[in-house]
Amino acid sequence: MKTEMTKLVRFAQLGCNGVAHEHAAAHRQTGNTELKVVCDLDGVKAKAFAEKHGVPEWTTNSSDVFACDDVDAVDIVTSDHTHARLSITAAQAGKHVLVEKPLATSVEDADAVIAAAAENGVTLMCAQCMRWDSRCRALTEKVKAGAIGRPVFVRVHGGCPPFWQPGNWPEAASGGKPDFLLFREGVHWMDWITALLGEFPESIHVVGHPGQEGVPLWEYFAVNMRFPGGALGLGESNRIVQPPGYPMPGTGVYIVGTEGTLALENTTDLAVSLHTADGISFPGSHVYAVPMDSKFAAEIRHFADCVVSGAEPDVSPKHSRRVVQALLAAQESFRCGEPVEVKYA
Amino acid sequence: MRERLAIAWIGCVYGHQRDYGGTLAAHARAQLVAIAERPGALGAHVVGARALAAERGVPFYEDYHEMLEKHPIAVASVALPPEHNVPVLVDLARRGIHIISEKPTAPSAAELAPLGAVLRETGVRFTFAAPATVFSGAFRPAIEAVERGKIGEARTGYFQYLQTGGPEYTLPPERCKEVKMAEFGMFAPYGVLAFRKLMRSNIVKVFARFTSAFYPHYRENGLEDLALASVYFANGAVGTLVVGRTTTKGMPQADVRMQIFGSSGALNINNGLGYAINQYRDGTHAKIPFGSSTTTLFIDDFVNAIFEKRDPVVTYDDALQTAAFLDASLASAHSGCVESLN
């Protein structure tokens, strides 16, 4: 089903926590979307959220959203374990689906979501905001343009507050699983690295550290990957409590190619540095700043464009499914302490 | 007049003698008296060593035994291929000659082990040439900060040593047929030392991936020019080590980066951006620039250790742990499994 729209794609947003605020704010910047209604199980929270972001309506019942003729698409910003169920229901109601990462928490659920979207002719995209981070886009563009030759090593690292504390950690969202962070944060860099390289890791090995006492969720994971083309990758999910003054939030990216190196420094100014055979030396004019705009607005705008045009989003459902599969393999490696080989359907 | 140590260079591979041997020879309490090779050395090595002797104005001996008969040598700077290194080191140690060795010191930890017994018996001082992550202006204050408890107990560590500017200084094709490891053996020792000094715990297990990303003559011989290793420490900390020799131009000679997150602080070392240490604690951010006297400090420490009859900062135990790490990493790269250090 292709939605007939003249100007704006009309959205309902499910979920009012955390990054939901970023999404709601972004809808005011896209130029091609309109947030009509927000939904949360907590009515007080939904009402306050709607008032804060100028959303006309709010509800505590997702069925109201799915039945609403004034809504073309849903923006699902709820807990990970609800993504698949809500996405399927939305698709069956004929709503286009923008769902926060991960697409699902199992491959079976991911397949069910993709099937529901296909059967109902709606556009489905997993919200991978790192794809629309202007610095990361600059890196991708440089790599795709051949600035460093063929990438042979990629490292993505960083940390992201708020940090957990004993008695203040996401018990409900995590289910108390020690490797929650591996999936939650890993979905960012797993999607980005695999999109950059155009392939998925065939072997994954994980080391981790529990971090502080009193928090049952492990706070650090380093995922060591080998890709079919021979490239090596390292993704780090890090909630180790970092001291005041440490630059946050910060995503650092380091890419070595056969003809040069690209680095996005997270511990200095937020800039991309390019090192190539041109002989540009460090430090110097090769460090160039990338203008920052809202990655969330860019992401939602792209999705809305795809809804209108019928084009497949840059973050394809098949890609997001494989991201889920790779992260499940990472969790398996964490549990068994050995590398895990992955074969993708 | 203060005593001066009689210095000999034995073997001249890898440019070791121009850097470490040269700094030792220039030390105020040392004097280069002769240069020698090992019996059976390759012709090219003999030619190179002979040329260095002529340049330095000291006698050259094709067999170091002959040199030792004619000169009372106190310290030998040894740069031989690792498969020929240990027998010479053991011989020198038995004669009471102190040693600076090029890295890798041995093809395996098992082959290095006999040297330890002789060093213990004789009291000979031994060190090996991997000072960059111990004596450099970046790492000295970092080690000091860790020793003073500035970041608490280290929990995670990332170490990167990517030599740039290849293919210059890659192993020649004929040498590739003789060795079992290429750039990992050359640069991983820096990481092992950095981890030992900064994580303050021994590496006990490793999972390593080796790849030939850059140089066809490495690929043809199954040798690595890039490696990614996950490491486990005895105290429960974990880390990652990335080493290799890239083709990137326009960067520092080596792009060395290290991040450590501890229980009460973080350290970030980065020579790529012109300053070395970023120390974050209690809302303050201290930047400490790199120094340039790494080799001098390394040699000073070794010479002082000889006169003061103490261990140098970089010890035989460091060399043994490094060799064990290389063994386990190579085994892991081949087996595809996590391997323990023996």
Side-chain angles (χ1 to χ4, degrees), chain A:
Chain A
M1 180 179 76
K2 183 178 172 185
T3 301
E4 296 298 328
M5 281 162 289
T6 53
K7 290 182 180 177
L8 302 177
V9 178
R10 299 164 299 180
F11 271 86
Q13 183 169 312
L14 306 181
C16 293
N17 289 313
V19 77
H21 289 279
E22 304 282 358
H23 279 232
H27 277 287
R28 294 201 300 271
Q29 302 170 39
T30 60
N32 64 352
T33 67
E34 179 182 15
L35 187 53
K36 301 283 289 184
V37 56
V38 294
C39 175
D40 196 283
L41 293 173
D42 182 335
V44 174
K45 187 178 289 182
K47 181 174 184 293
F49 188 96
E51 288 173 355
K52 176 180 178 180
H53 293 286
V55 183
E57 297 180 59
W58 61 271
T59 178
T60 60
N61 188 347
S62 58
S63 298
D64 293 346
V65 169
F66 299 135
C68 181
D69 290 337
D70 290 342
V71 168
D72 307 306
V74 293
D75 184 355
I76 299 172
V77 201
T78 54
S79 299
D80 295 358
H81 68 278
T82 66
H83 289 178
R85 174 175 54 82
L86 291 171
S87 296
I88 291 168
T89 308
Q92 289 170 341
K95 309 300 182 190
H96 303 284
V97 178
L98 176 64
V99 57
E100 255 303 324
K101 62 202 159 305
L103 177 62
T105 53
S106 72
V107 173
E108 293 75 18
D109 281 355
D111 285 339
V113 174
I114 293 169
E119 287 164 8
N120 292 282
V122 298
T123 300
L124 168 66
M125 186 178 98
C126 198
Q128 297 281 171
C129 61
M130 193 172 168
R131 295 269 198 115
W132 279 270
D133 181 300
S134 51
R135 296 159 297 159
C136 293
R137 289 187 79 85
L139 288 168
T140 301
E141 287 166 9
K142 289 289 179 188
V143 169
K144 299 292 185 192
I148 59 168
R150 179 173 57 85
V152 294
F153 173 65
V154 183
R155 178 194 182 207
V156 178
H157 64 106
C160 183
F163 299 112
W164 301 325
Q165 302 293 338
N168 185 16
W169 50 276
E171 184 172 0
S174 68
K177 294 178 181 173
D179 55 3
F180 170 71
L181 180 69
L182 181 55
F183 211 102
R184 167 55 70 91
E185 302 286 336
V187 72
H188 283 280
W189 49 254
M190 184 64 81
D191 173 79
W192 191 79
I193 292 174
T194 52
L196 180 83
L197 296 178
E199 56 183 359
F200 279 80
E202 61 185 6
S203 173
I204 295 174
H205 174 262
V206 176
V207 293
H209 194 282
Q212 62 190 313
E213 292 182 6
V215 176
L217 311 182
W218 283 40
E219 295 179 336
Y220 177 83
F221 294 96
V223 181
N224 175 330
M225 297 173 280
R226 186 188 69 228
F227 291 82
L232 302 177
L234 175 66
E236 290 169 85
S237 297
N238 188 357
R239 286 281 175 106
I240 292 273
V241 176
Q242 292 158 29
Y246 203 85
M248 284 292 142
T251 296
V253 181
Y254 190 87
I255 311 168
V256 180
T258 52
E259 297 169 25
T261 297
L262 275 164
L264 167 62
E265 309 287 352
N266 74 333
T267 51
T268 58
D269 51 345
L270 292 174
V272 177
S273 59
L274 173 62
H275 316 261
T276 72
D278 295 339
I280 306 167
S281 61
F282 224 176
S285 59
H286 65 290
V287 176
Y288 61 93
V290 176
M292 296 286 288
D293 58 11
S294 168
K295 56 190 175 186
F296 297 104
E299 172 185 78
I300 294 169
R301 186 183 303 121
H302 170 75
F303 174 74
D305 283 342
C306 292
V307 166
V308 173
S309 68
E312 181 172 76
D314 284 354
V315 184
S316 73
K318 181 182 177 185
H319 190 94
S320 296
R321 177 198 185 277
R322 289 186 169 190
V323 168
V324 170
Q325 191 176 356
L327 291 171
L328 291 170
Q331 288 183 315
E332 184 184 343
S333 174
F334 167 66
R335 289 165 193 151
C336 73
E338 287 287 348
V340 169
E341 306 295 314
V342 196
K343 295 194 186 308
Y344 301 90

Side-chain angles (χ1 to χ4, degrees), chain B residues 39-61:
Chain B
L42 290 175
H45 290 168
V46 172
V47 169
R50 189 187 300 280
L52 265 181
E55 181 184 314
R56 291 279 176 167
V58 296
F60 173 73
Y61 301 89

Side-chain angles (χ1 to χ4, degrees), chain B residues 54-72:
Chain B
E55 181 184 314
R56 291 279 176 167
V58 296
F60 173 73
Y61 301 89
E62 291 195 9
D63 182 343
Y64 76 91
H65 296 96
E66 184 185 353
M67 174 186 72
L68 296 179
E69 288 170 8
K70 295 183 178 176
H71 303 275

Side-chain angles (χ1 to χ4, degrees), chain A residues 155 203 205 208-209 220 224 233 238 243-246 254 257-258 260-261 265 267-268 275-276 280-282 337-339, chain B residues 155-156 158 160 207 209 214 228 230 232 236 238 247-251 255 257 259 261 268 272-273 275 280 283 336 338:
Chain A
R155 178 194 182 207
S203 173
H205 174 262
H209 194 282
Y220 177 83
N224 175 330
N238 188 357
Y246 203 85
Y254 190 87
T258 52
T261 297
E265 309 287 352
T267 51
T268 58
H275 316 261
T276 72
I280 306 167
S281 61
F282 224 176
E338 287 287 348
Chain B
R155 290 170 167 165
T156 73
Y158 172 82
Q160 168 187 311
F207 175 74
R209 300 187 197 274
F214 303 106
L228 171 62
S230 308
Y232 303 75
V238 293
T247 58
T248 297
K249 305 292 192 294
M251 291 187 90
D255 192 7
R257 294 164 188 244
Q259 283 107 36
F261 290 103
N268 172 33
L273 284 175
Y275 54 82
Y280 302 91
V338 176

